[in-house]
Amino acid sequence: MTKNMEDADSDFGSLIRHIQESRGIDFRGYKRTSLERRIRRRMEEVGCDSFAAYHAFLEAHPQEFVDLLNTVLINVTSFFRDSDAWDVLRRDVVPRILERKGSNGPIRIWSVGCASGEEPYSLAMLFAEVLGTTDFCRRVKIYATDLDDAALNTARHATYASREVESVPQPLLERYFERTNNHYVFQRELRKCVIFGRHNVVSDAPISRIDLLVCRNLLIYLEADTQGIVLPRLHYALVNDGFLFLGKAETQLARSRMFEPVDLKSRIFSKVPQEWRRTAGGSLALANDAAGTRANQQARLLESIVDSSSTGYLAVNAEGVLVFANVHARRLFDIEETDIGRPFHDLTISYRPTELRSRIEEVRNSGRMVRIEHQTFTRAGSEPVRLTIEVAPLYSRDGKAFATLLSFFDTSRIFLLQQEIEAAQESLETTIEELQSSNEELETTNEELQSSNEELETTNEELQSTNEELETMNEELRSTNEELEVANEEMRRQSEEAGEYRRYSESILRSIDVGIIVLDENLTVQSWNRWSENIWGLRNEEVTGEPFLDLDIGLPVPRLRRPLQDILKTQAPVDPVEMEAMDRRGRRITCRIRMSPLLYDNRLDRGAVLIIEDVTERARSDAFANYLGRIVGQSLNEVYFLDPITFTFHLVNKGAEEKLGYSLDILRQIPLHDMMPSIDAIAFDRLVAPLLSGEKAEIVFETTIERSDQSVRPVEICMQYFAEEQPPILVALAHEVTERQRIGSDGDKVEAMPG
């Protein structure tokens, strides 16, 4: 980090602290990129080029805080914003809340980040429609909170302009709003049930016993750590089975276990209660056999089940002695038979991969299971693995805990997948946040532009009236002679412009590197550009005015008679045609001819336009490419075109399909390394990495490939990566090495070599 960047960071932190100390607003949990972008936007408007300069400006102009907070706390909202989500809320959520509350139960609603009040008043109308105004005022309380005092003051007045209530359905507008001059005022009785207050959801205590919590497009502006603080607060605020309504850009709850989706598309979730529950332990019982050996059979069955499990189990009794270890656990942690019966704290497993003695004590005291996620564990000579450990009490039939069970699960693959998912999720959230932020800023700008437009329209009407008066006076004073002079000057200017435009158009036509021939409605040549002169050997003045179909040039023009007549008849373009021709030097060329009607402003057909291209080299290249593709496609050597990320097959030739035993549709679903029994995905990634990074131009290796009939054959594979292609492609050439042919030194002896 350069010194300038360090100074900027220090000045930015000082500015944020000044805002907090002066206005009591804590921005420390907000995403720095979004916060910095909005503050810079305000800095540009007041002409400050650094955070330090803006800090000084704030101290000198305290009124600037109002404009700054309006920029940072983007109060973009509207009535019933995202109407589809509100329909789901009305149809699926409101009835469930009313059913749970009964006919008299109180209903508590919390609107977090309510801005200028459109959201809580939308909730009021939603519930009043179902309950009626009387029952709504008796049972419902809506708490609306925000950081912006100015926005809260606007919300308390509940007065909105015409354009701000455009999203309110007409029946609701007539029922719940009163029209005063050019504004609409929300109904007084319902307004009394909405309580507005200043609240910081990150640091202030949450409102409790909430049935419906609406927090739309707030979490996207918070850092991940701050989101981890806010989500438990929202969870705590809700009653069991309460509902959480988020904005469409928020995906944070996709990984949270505290909420489950009611309608994921509409971002409506319900609270998952977190109470701890423990049921009585069960037992395994078998019927007695003829010899009455049920107990022995049960013991053998239990032992077989536990020892064949892929999960490692250890049991420690109340005295802290290891009393049980299944086969998987003994192999995993190198536990000997002599270790059974030893104090658990004397064993290595008690503190590696993590400290377990205190966790066992915690489980004994609380009676609750403890889960330790993804602990790194490394054995000598082995790759590190991730272990998830569950420490749980074991209960006897009388309900008393008599031992502690430690379960060890290998979650290495799950851990890697979670990391990949979290990285992708964070990237997606950042992108969504930036898009949402930009959208809201655009909405704010649009509202400002609408206001400016209204003012400009008023000014324009005044100017039009003034202009009409001036025109009337001008018409009275203007003489006939002046009118004629103006008209004459205009005609002269237009004539000059027309001449210049004609010369300009002719220059363009002569400079274009394709043939352009313009014909009139009688198919007589009107224009003939330089390319046509060079190719066919006739100058423009020699062919202008001549019938095009009678020209003696190397192009077989009679074959164009029918399509040209169709153009004149239908006034629509025809499909391009290609034909062989001979230029003025006797060279054979391939021409591609596009023909379209020549239309004027009145859409009347005035002739036709021909555009002629020399596509000789392109035709040869296409033919050679098709020839090369057929050779490769029919080759018995195996050619694979692979995705450089997933290593799945994009395309294979016929030889590859026959030797692999799969159709192309099936191969497109299989990564190459899945067909190699001797190598796994990780090793294959390491093998190909130098090629994908550009460190190597190609790699060659020998391996075995499994066919669809499970047979295995040795092959040699040569791989190359074409990063410049769009999209980039990984190409592999494979051939069997079961038998190799070697030419002897005398030139006439051929010997088969084993692969």
Side-chain angles (χ1 to χ4, degrees), residues 257 353-354 371-377 385-390 409-419 422:
R257 298 181 180 178
T354 186
R371 183 180 177 90
I372 311 169
E373 300 279 359
H374 308 309
Q375 298 298 306
T376 304
F377 179 70
V385 297
R386 295 277 179 171
L387 296 179
T388 295
I389 307 168
E390 289 184 357
F409 307 92
D410 186 348
T411 55
S412 302
R413 183 170 178 80
I414 295 175
F415 177 75
L416 292 175
L417 291 175
Q418 285 180 348
Q419 285 187 319
E422 289 175 0

Side-chain angles (χ1 to χ4, degrees), residues 61-86:
H61 304 84
Q63 68 275 14
E64 170 64 16
F65 277 103
V66 177
D67 295 327
L68 172 62
L69 294 182
N70 286 336
T71 302
V72 174
L73 303 174
I74 292 182
N75 295 317
V76 176
T77 184
S78 63
F79 289 98
F80 300 104
R81 189 180 186 188
D82 304 326
S83 58
D84 292 342
W86 281 89

Side-chain angles (χ1 to χ4, degrees), residues 336-391:
E336 305 292 340
E337 292 290 341
T338 56
D339 292 329
I340 307 298
R342 291 179 59 190
F344 182 71
H345 62 76
D346 291 343
L347 302 176
T348 305
I349 185 59
S350 66
Y351 58 85
R352 194 173 70 89
T354 186
E355 208 287 315
L356 294 175
R357 291 167 293 186
S358 61
R359 302 303 177 93
I360 293 174
E361 189 66 28
E362 178 184 349
V363 169
R364 288 175 181 169
N365 293 334
S366 65
R368 300 175 180 175
M369 183 192 76
V370 173
R371 183 180 177 90
I372 311 169
E373 300 279 359
H374 308 309
Q375 298 298 306
T376 304
F377 179 70
T378 306
R379 296 182 61 194
S382 302
E383 293 289 332
V385 297
R386 295 277 179 171
L387 296 179
T388 295
I389 307 168
E390 289 184 357
V391 185

